[in-house]
Amino acid sequence: MSNHNGESDVTPTESETTGTVGHVSHGSRETPATFTSSMGVDRSEKARRHKSDRHVAGESDRSIVPKKPTNNGGVPLPAESMEGRGLTKENIQQSLLDRIQSRSSDGTPFVPRSRGLLGVRDAAQQDKTRQFTSLLHHITPELLRASFLELKKRAAPGVDGETWRDYAVEVEERIDDLHGRIHRGAYRAKPSKRMYLPKPDGRMRPLGIAALEEKIVQQAARTVLEGIDEQDFLGFSDGFRPGRSCPHALDALFVGITKQNVNGIIDADSRGFVDTLSHEWLMTCLEHRIADGRMLRLLKKWLRAGVSEDGEWSPTKVGTPQGAVISPLLANVFLHYALDRWSQAWRTRHATGEVTIVR
């Protein structure tokens, strides 16, 4: 299943604002430029080189799409094992979460004060029902600084008109000031600058360009929340996640079609998903894991900041801006509870045959 609005469409605004926690930004939107006659051979060979995560405990931890495995009697195992293994510690440790533990603003190493976010991630992994009541203090000057360095230097400015190079002039002082405002409750979210890009079908896709400080704080918040949410997301969710991408989803689809006796394929698209996402239900989904009132208020500020178009502000009662740094994670959290868990439960309890899901 696919979500063209929330997951796999290329949005130049986003690609020009930030990497998605380090190494995922371009990967989650890339698709092969051309399909040649060797595509099937390449993917089949790729699938044959890997094993199911059900049988390789202690081996490679990389996110891959394995060949459909068989048991000792040669009988194919269920479809879940074809959808790619879940993310593991190795994948996430390549992200911004870990890099901030070893890099200061000038690139020199520094000694971390505590395990911090690594401890949050471990706690979320060990207890899938745990709610986190104290998260905002993990948005430190070090994390804000690292988040600033992640931004694309030539990104289009938002309503503040400020570029990356403008902010870099006095970055240390400005990061300290930003950190103080966040923790005093004085931080105010600015509206997104509305622009439009044409879609292949002739319609226009609305994008939101965030102000520079919004990008910094959203990147920092995303790093904090991903340490928790990535422990919950299911293996068939491939959009806008660390170590996952459209090619991973295509490989899972290819293996599912070529290695199974396929009776039918359903291709579904949540029309206008990101633009019409319910704020109330999104907050309900977030509250399954987040019980820190200050962090929740910060997320609400971005949802309610509105948009500025031709100098005129308008409120946002639904949706989250396409192109905003935090939006892909919010979309994945919503879809995890509204679609992924439901799909998993349905095929486990009601499906009479094998069902492979690719989102």
Side-chain angles (χ1 to χ4, degrees):
M1 303 177 78
S2 64
N3 183 321
H4 301 305
N5 285 334
E7 305 235 339
S8 59
D9 282 343
V10 178
T11 57
T13 304
E14 178 170 336
S15 66
E16 285 300 307
T17 55
T18 182
T20 311
V21 191
H23 61 288
V24 68
S25 61
H26 72 281
S28 57
R29 294 188 302 281
E30 286 183 349
T31 54
T34 59
F35 291 93
T36 66
S37 59
S38 64
M39 181 188 71
V41 176
D42 292 342
R43 286 188 178 157
S44 293
E45 180 61 28
K46 184 177 183 180
R48 286 193 292 272
R49 288 199 299 267
H50 301 304
K51 302 177 185 177
S52 166
D53 57 339
R54 294 186 176 195
H55 304 287
V56 293
E59 295 183 13
S60 170
D61 284 329
R62 299 196 180 278
S63 178
I64 57 174
V65 178
K67 172 186 177 182
K68 181 167 172 84
T70 59
N71 61 19
N72 291 335
V75 178
L77 291 175
E80 291 93 320
S81 56
M82 301 172 63
E83 293 161 356
R85 67 186 64 198
L87 294 181
T88 60
K89 192 170 183 179
E90 179 182 339
N91 296 112
I92 300 175
Q93 280 186 333
Q94 306 306 315
S95 71
L96 178 60
L97 187 155
D98 292 85
R99 293 206 302 276
I100 63 171
Q101 302 291 322
S102 59
R103 184 180 69 184
S104 65
S105 60
D106 60 359
T108 59
F110 70 89
V111 179
R113 290 171 290 184
S114 69
R115 294 193 74 244
L117 289 175
L118 300 179
V120 170
R121 182 180 66 190
D122 291 344
Q125 188 175 53
Q126 292 165 12
D127 184 355
K128 296 300 180 68
T129 64
R130 177 169 179 170
Q131 287 187 305
F132 291 83
T133 59
S134 182
L135 290 173
L136 194 69
H137 72 278
H138 290 293
I139 298 183
T140 62
E142 291 85 1
L143 178 56
L144 291 170
R145 213 172 284 120
S147 299
F148 169 72
L149 294 174
E150 287 290 298
L151 302 181
K152 298 290 185 180
K153 295 178 176 60
R154 291 181 291 180
V159 294
D160 57 350
E162 193 158 40
T163 67
W164 190 94
R165 297 189 184 280
D166 293 335
Y167 203 87
V169 174
E170 297 179 334
V171 65
E172 294 299 325
E173 295 82 357
R174 301 190 73 170
I175 289 294
D176 288 341
D177 174 67
L178 176 59
H179 176 260
R181 283 185 280 127
I182 292 169
H183 290 274
R184 291 195 311 270
Y187 169 81
R188 297 290 181 266
K190 294 182 176 65
S192 297
K193 182 179 178 181
R194 175 62 55 84
M195 65 172 292
Y196 295 89
L197 285 181
K199 298 176 69 173
D201 60 7
R203 293 180 298 164
M204 301 299 288
R205 176 185 305 285
L207 298 177
I209 304 177
L212 191 73
E213 283 196 338
E214 255 61 59
K215 297 174 188 176
I216 297 171
V217 185
Q218 287 185 18
Q219 177 68 78
R222 178 173 186 155
T223 303
V224 173
L225 299 181
E226 271 191 333
I228 300 169
D229 294 319
E230 279 295 326
Q231 314 313 314
D232 299 336
F233 292 159
L234 301 182
F236 53 77
S237 168
D238 283 308
F240 291 110
R241 294 180 57 194
R244 293 181 181 269
S245 62
C246 288
H248 289 106
L250 290 172
D251 285 334
L253 182 64
F254 176 82
V255 174
I257 291 173
T258 59
K259 303 300 180 182
Q260 284 184 289
N261 293 322
V262 179
N263 294 322
I265 298 174
I266 299 175
D267 178 13
D269 175 26
S270 301
R271 181 179 300 173
F273 168 68
V274 173
D275 300 327
T276 59
L277 192 155
S278 164
H279 291 175
E280 290 74 22
W281 279 110
L282 173 60
M283 295 309 299
T284 298
C285 294
L286 289 164
E287 288 166 6
H288 277 288
R289 286 292 232 165
I290 305 171
D292 182 342
R294 295 197 302 164
M295 179 64 80
L296 291 171
R297 283 193 293 274
L298 181 61
L299 295 171
K300 287 179 182 177
K301 286 181 180 180
W302 290 321
L303 293 175
R304 298 171 178 173
V307 296
S308 176
E309 185 173 357
D310 297 327
E312 298 213 1
W313 179 86
S314 58
T316 46
K317 298 180 180 179
V318 295
T320 178
Q322 294 194 51
V325 177
I326 197 71
S327 292
L329 176 63
L330 297 181
N332 270 330
V333 170
F334 186 95
L335 288 169
H336 172 71
Y337 291 102
L339 176 64
D340 296 355
R341 289 182 58 175
W342 175 85
S343 301
Q344 180 83 314
W346 176 83
R347 75 171 175 187
T348 301
R349 300 172 187 171
H350 304 293
T352 56
E354 292 186 13
V355 178
T356 298
I357 304 171
V358 182
R359 179 171 76 74

